[in-house]
Amino acid sequence: MASSDVILETEGLTKSFLGFVAVQDVTFTLRRGHIHAVIGPNGAGKTTFFNLLTKFLQPTRGRILYKGEDITGLKPAEIARRGVVRSFQISATFPHLTVLENVRIALQRHTGTAYHFWKPEETLHVLHERARELLREVGLEGEADRLAVELPYGRKRALEIATTIALEPELILLDEPTQGMGHEDIDRVKALIQRVAKGRTVLMVEHNMSVIADISDRITVLQRGQILAEGPYSEVSKDPRVIEAYLGQGH
Ligand SMILES: Nc1ncnc2c1ncn2[C@@H]1O[C@H](COP(=O)(O)OP(=O)(O)O)[C@@H](O)[C@H]1O
Ligand SMILES: [Mg+2]
């Protein structure tokens, strides 16, 4: 595999909590442009793995390489600045602002002082245009002037994704993007993930097997902190060890 095809790698990534090993010796490769799902029974270490990647947790052992560079020692904000953004975490929405204002704030936060030398009204105009473009990208253009708090649950997730892509990520991490959703919202979020994955890479923890089957290029199965299986859905879903790990949990 050419190294430019790989956006993120971990080598022997390990996290212990007072002797309990939540993530154990995970050596993992994420290919650029892929939608890659991480699955596994409850307590398998999925969220801990994500927390290690975004540096909310410091690994006990191992390395994380992003675009070939060792980022193991970086802070969460530095990781985000390099283009690794986790949705539903950094980009919390403001319920009593409008949908458009929420996206504009995310854009302002990202650009910081980049527009400083422009006249204020020009800056506002540019931000407005970009915000509308992002709302179109996530299918919220019709809701621009609604308060975020008024949006139905699935649409809120779309707004969160808009505020995430406002930060111009190259790699988006989604922790259970369809959690708590009904069929209709799940279908919309599925389509949305596919849309935002164009020109980006998506790594997601997801439980819904139909979502995984439909949109993921590759799947990593974690069990007790270790990689149990890896590959495309068609292979992984037939793996007896994977079936057992799930049946054993009542999935
Ligand atoms: N801060 C922590 N301190 C101690 N144990 C933790 C901590 N975070 C997670 N764990 C443990 O690590 C294991 C993996 O948790 P987690 O990563 O949340 O799993 P998953 O997201 O796959 O359900 C669980 O047994 C959990 O109790
Ligand atoms: Mg979790």
Side-chain angles (χ1 to χ4, degrees):
M1 203 187 301
S3 64
S4 63
D5 292 342
V6 175
I7 189 158
L8 184 96
E9 292 163 86
T10 69
E11 292 172 0
L13 201 62
T14 299
K15 179 66 186 179
S16 310
F17 297 108
L18 301 169
F20 175 79
V21 189
V23 170
Q24 187 168 6
D25 203 21
V26 168
T27 294
F28 167 85
T29 300
L30 175 60
R31 299 188 68 159
R32 192 186 293 273
H34 268 189
I35 297 177
H36 192 128
V38 176
I39 69 170
N42 276 332
K46 304 178 296 293
T47 297
T48 304
F49 181 57
F50 264 33
N51 284 334
L52 291 171
L53 296 182
T54 48
K55 301 313 305 299
F56 287 104
L57 285 173
Q58 188 62 31
T60 308
R61 261 197 318 282
R63 296 207 304 161
I64 306 165
L65 302 174
Y66 177 63
K67 297 200 261 185
E69 254 184 89
D70 191 331
I71 60 162
T72 320
L74 298 189
K75 296 189 174 67
E78 293 167 333
I79 303 276
R81 216 172 301 129
R82 285 179 187 224
V84 181
V85 177
R86 180 166 173 177
S87 192
F88 319 138
Q89 185 125 27
I90 293 169
S91 53
T93 53
F94 300 98
H96 296 289
L97 295 180
T98 68
V99 166
L100 185 70
E101 285 164 343
N102 265 286
V103 177
R104 214 179 57 207
I105 285 168
L107 285 168
Q108 277 167 318
R109 203 175 343 160
H110 174 61
T111 52
T113 56
Y115 292 111
H116 228 75
F117 54 94
W118 291 4
K119 293 193 194 100
E121 63 270 28
E122 283 176 2
T123 303
L124 206 60
H125 181 72
V126 170
L127 288 173
H128 234 82
E129 285 304 298
R130 178 69 186 129
R132 293 219 173 257
E133 211 176 287
L134 286 169
L135 290 181
R136 275 195 295 278
E137 194 173 348
V138 302
L140 279 180
E141 64 273 41
E143 327 270 2
D145 299 321
R146 282 180 81 180
L147 295 181
V149 69
E150 293 171 350
L151 292 179
Y153 185 73
R155 308 274 70 205
K156 270 197 193 112
R157 283 275 153 114
L159 174 57
E160 284 165 340
I161 289 179
T163 59
T164 302
I165 55 183
L167 307 178
E168 291 178 22
E170 284 185 67
L171 169 57
I172 304 176
L173 283 81
L174 302 170
D175 198 350
E176 305 194 24
T178 67
Q179 191 185 24
M181 286 185 182
H183 282 299
E184 202 173 307
D185 281 337
I186 287 175
D187 285 344
R188 291 172 94 157
V189 168
K190 210 156 73 176
L192 178 56
I193 293 170
Q194 285 183 299
R195 220 179 313 150
V196 302
K198 295 212 165 68
R200 304 182 183 99
T201 306
V202 174
L203 182 64
M204 61 177 187
V205 170
E206 179 57 56
H207 287 297
N208 186 310
M209 279 299 164
S210 85
V211 173
I212 293 162
D214 287 352
I215 70 172
S216 61
D217 296 295
R218 257 186 115 69
I219 304 170
T220 296
V221 186
L222 286 182
Q223 188 190 30
R224 292 189 216 101
Q226 292 179 291
I227 295 180
L228 177 68
E230 201 160 58
Y233 178 81
S234 56
E235 283 172 25
V236 167
S237 61
K238 291 194 199 91
D239 188 321
R241 291 167 310 160
V242 175
I243 295 167
E244 212 211 301
Y246 272 83
L247 292 178
Q249 281 271 324
H251 274 263

